[in-house]
Amino acid sequence: MRKKLFIIFLMCFGLIVLFPPSPKNTPLTSVFRLTDKPITITHGTYGSALTVNISFGNEEIGQWIQELEKPYPFLFIDMDWAGRYPEIIRLINEKNIPTGLLGNEGTAYEKDATILLNQLEQYEDFFSMKPLWFRTADEVFPFFLRSLLVEVEVNALSSSFKWQGGHIPPMTEGEIISVSHQRDDRVSLIELNKLFESRDFHSVEDVIFGLSVKTKKIPK
């Protein structure tokens, strides 16, 4: 038995020597390189990414998330909202829908930097990881906030344009579309389905890094 285990060990060791694991060159590592300077990302190089800011809603938004199918939109989640509806957060986690941290208005962080630190802790409690992307509620990123995001290794993501319903503009390569579902600023989910049908959507990372990944539209 020991001889057999020893032979297996030698075989595994030989495989590691001959085929060493490649270094982690994931989108996460690459994206963090963009935070060397306090910049705000507003567009990519390929395709379209859809991001939805969520800070309002219960049954309607829960049903919408329940019916979502891959490829999923990217959800920016408000922490106060997440605390009120943990069952929806569990659903998001179960479906592995990509998320980021939706913060307050940009100027709030100039008055109190601990707001961001507290929100980061809350996000980790809900999603068991640090957010890769952060967006303010008004998509305004003062220099102090951008500098703070560099320190905590979280990327500031704005958008190429904010869609508020109605006319759907033609697709532009590298666009990052923002749609709000907030108390005083939201697009109906019926209209949002029309946007889904207007073009093929890709992940935020694919759009930013220009990865030509073939995906299909998000179904209704």
Side-chain angles (χ1 to χ4, degrees):
M1 181 67 179
R2 290 183 178 178
K3 184 177 180 181
K4 184 177 181 180
L5 290 174
F6 181 70
I7 293 173
I8 293 174
F9 171 78
L10 288 178
M11 291 176 63
C12 293
F13 180 77
L15 289 173
I16 293 173
V17 172
L18 292 173
F19 306 101
S22 58
K24 291 183 179 180
N25 186 25
T26 63
L28 180 65
T29 303
S30 301
V31 170
F32 277 152
R33 292 174 186 167
L34 296 179
T35 67
D36 290 342
K37 296 181 180 180
I39 63 173
T40 302
I41 301 168
T42 61
H43 61 277
T45 59
Y46 167 83
S48 302
L50 177 62
T51 64
V52 183
N53 305 333
I54 301 178
S55 64
F56 177 79
N58 182 8
E59 294 182 4
E60 181 186 26
I61 198 72
Q63 184 65 32
W64 177 72
I65 290 173
Q66 178 69 57
E67 295 174 356
L68 279 179
E69 296 181 13
K70 295 181 179 179
Y72 298 128
F74 189 95
L75 308 182
F76 276 101
I77 305 295
D78 174 82
M79 291 300 95
D80 290 337
W81 178 84
R84 292 194 298 271
Y85 304 111
E87 69 281 0
I88 300 180
I89 298 302
R90 283 195 294 271
L91 178 60
I92 292 172
N93 282 323
E94 288 172 3
K95 299 188 70 168
N96 200 28
I97 299 174
T99 63
L101 172 58
L102 180 64
N104 302 354
E105 294 186 351
T107 55
Y109 299 92
E110 294 184 304
K111 301 173 183 177
D112 187 0
T114 62
I115 295 175
L116 177 62
L117 301 180
N118 291 334
Q119 290 173 335
L120 290 173
E121 289 183 2
Q122 289 177 296
Y123 184 95
E124 290 192 59
D125 287 340
F126 288 125
F127 297 102
S128 302
M129 65 179 69
K130 180 171 28 175
L132 183 59
W133 303 102
F134 171 83
R135 173 180 288 168
T136 58
D138 55 1
E139 297 195 26
V140 174
F141 296 84
F143 181 81
F144 175 77
L145 174 58
R146 284 181 279 134
S147 300
L148 184 60
L149 290 169
V150 171
E151 293 298 318
V152 296
E153 295 186 315
V154 177
N155 297 287
L157 185 68
S158 185
S159 64
S160 307
F161 70 91
K162 181 177 179 179
W163 188 69
Q164 297 178 304
H167 172 70
I168 299 175
M171 179 251 181
T172 301
E173 290 289 347
E175 65 185 4
I176 299 173
I177 305 173
S178 171
V179 179
S180 289
H181 198 275
Q182 304 177 78
R183 181 180 294 276
D184 300 319
D185 178 20
R186 64 182 184 274
V187 173
S188 73
L189 299 180
I190 294 176
E191 280 203 279
L192 188 52
N193 284 334
K194 296 178 182 178
L195 178 62
F196 287 166
E197 293 297 316
S198 70
R199 67 251 284 143
D200 293 334
F201 285 109
H202 305 266
S203 73
V204 168
E205 290 79 12
D206 288 349
V207 170
I208 290 175
F209 295 110
L211 303 178
S212 299
V213 178
K214 293 182 179 181
T215 58
K216 296 182 178 180
K217 297 175 184 174
I218 302 172
K220 290 183 180 180

